[in-house]
Amino acid sequence: MEIAQQLRGTAGAHQVNGARVGIASGNGGDHQFFGTMVIEA
Amino acid sequence: MTSRMIAWPIKLLDCCPQSSGGGAIVLASEKYIKDRGLDAVWITGVAHCSESYYLGDRMGRGLTADHADAHALRDSFARAYKMAGVEKPQKQVHVAELYAPFSNTEFHAIEAAGLAGLGESVAQVRDGRFTLGGRSRSIRLAELSVPTLSPSPRWFV
C-alpha cells in the first residue's frame, strides 16, 4: 500500500520525489514464506 | 539498545509489537483501467518462494547454513525482478517497502532485494544510505522511503 501511495505521489510528508519503481516484500511463518512484488507507476 | 533482552541478541525494541491490522487493494485488468481512464499503479513482477520448515534444513547455497542470508527471499526477488525486467535494483528501484519484523531482518531484506551487497547493509544503514533525505545519490535510495513493517518506524531502503 505504501508503495502504491509513493508511486501515485500521495505519500504526504514521507513522499519520495520521483518514485516510479517500487518493490515490496512480505514474510510469513518462521521466516519461511516470502512474497515479493515490483510495482511501477 | 537498553530495552530488555528477549532472546540474544534480540531485545524488546528489536521486535515488532503484537498487533492486528489490515489493508486492501483493488486489482483490475489493464483494459479495465485504460477504458475508464483510472489512475493506477502496475504490478510488473510478483513472486513467492519458501524455505524448508526446519531451520536445520536451511542449508543455503553452500555446505553449511548461513542464517544471516535469506535465500528464499533473494530467490523471490530474483523472480519478481526477472518478470519486471529489473536487472540492476540499486539503480532501477526508487522505493522499497521491506517487511522486517525484527531489526536484524531488515538487513536480510535489504541484501536479498539486491539493494546492498552481501554483508554490506549494516554499514550502509549506519551511513544513512537508507534514510529519507540521506546523502547517497548514486542509487537514490536515500531519497527513497521504505517504511518497513519493522519495530523501528524509520524510513528505510
Side-chain angles (χ1 to χ4, degrees):
Chain A
M1 291 176 61
E2 173 72 18
I3 297 302
Q5 290 177 325
Q6 289 284 345
L7 299 182
R8 297 180 63 181
T10 59
H14 53 86
Q15 177 68 51
V16 175
N17 295 327
R20 303 287 298 170
V21 178
I23 60 174
S25 70
N27 300 2
D30 183 7
H31 211 58
Q32 185 181 5
F33 309 108
F34 302 94
T36 55
M37 195 175 286
V38 179
I39 306 152
E40 299 186 41
Chain B
M1 294 299 292
T2 61
S3 61
R4 65 181 174 90
M5 192 69 71
I6 299 298
W8 187 89
I10 303 299
K11 296 187 175 182
L12 178 64
L13 295 183
D14 288 316
C15 306
C16 58
Q18 289 185 321
S19 60
S20 179
I25 58 174
V26 177
L27 302 178
S29 68
E30 181 176 0
K31 183 179 186 306
Y32 185 95
I33 295 295
K34 290 184 175 179
D35 284 351
R36 292 159 181 77
L38 299 176
D39 182 19
V41 294
W42 306 94
I43 299 172
T44 56
V46 61
H48 175 270
C49 194
S50 299
E51 290 277 6
S52 60
Y53 177 77
Y54 296 106
L55 288 175
D57 290 341
R58 300 179 190 181
M59 298 305 291
R61 296 289 181 266
L63 297 178
T64 58
D66 186 344
H67 295 302
D69 299 335
H71 300 284
L73 179 58
R74 183 184 304 276
D75 286 349
S76 185
F77 268 119
R79 295 173 191 178
Y81 284 154
K82 184 177 180 180
M83 187 182 296
V86 173
E87 296 179 349
K88 298 181 179 180
Q90 293 192 33
K91 293 185 181 296
Q92 294 176 260
V93 173
H94 301 144
V95 61
E97 183 173 12
L98 304 178
Y99 179 57
F102 303 93
S103 298
N104 60 305
T105 55
E106 286 189 58
F107 306 118
H108 294 179
I110 292 173
E111 294 176 6
L115 300 179
L118 204 60
E120 298 177 357
S121 60
V122 174
Q124 293 185 21
V125 167
R126 286 180 179 162
D127 194 42
R129 180 179 176 212
F130 301 112
T131 301
L132 188 65
R135 62 181 182 273
S136 174
R137 298 283 303 186
S138 61
I139 54 173
R140 298 191 60 209
L141 293 183
E143 286 197 348
L144 308 180
S145 99
V146 175
T148 62
L149 301 179
S150 75
S152 54
R154 69 177 178 201
W155 298 112
F156 170 103
V157 169

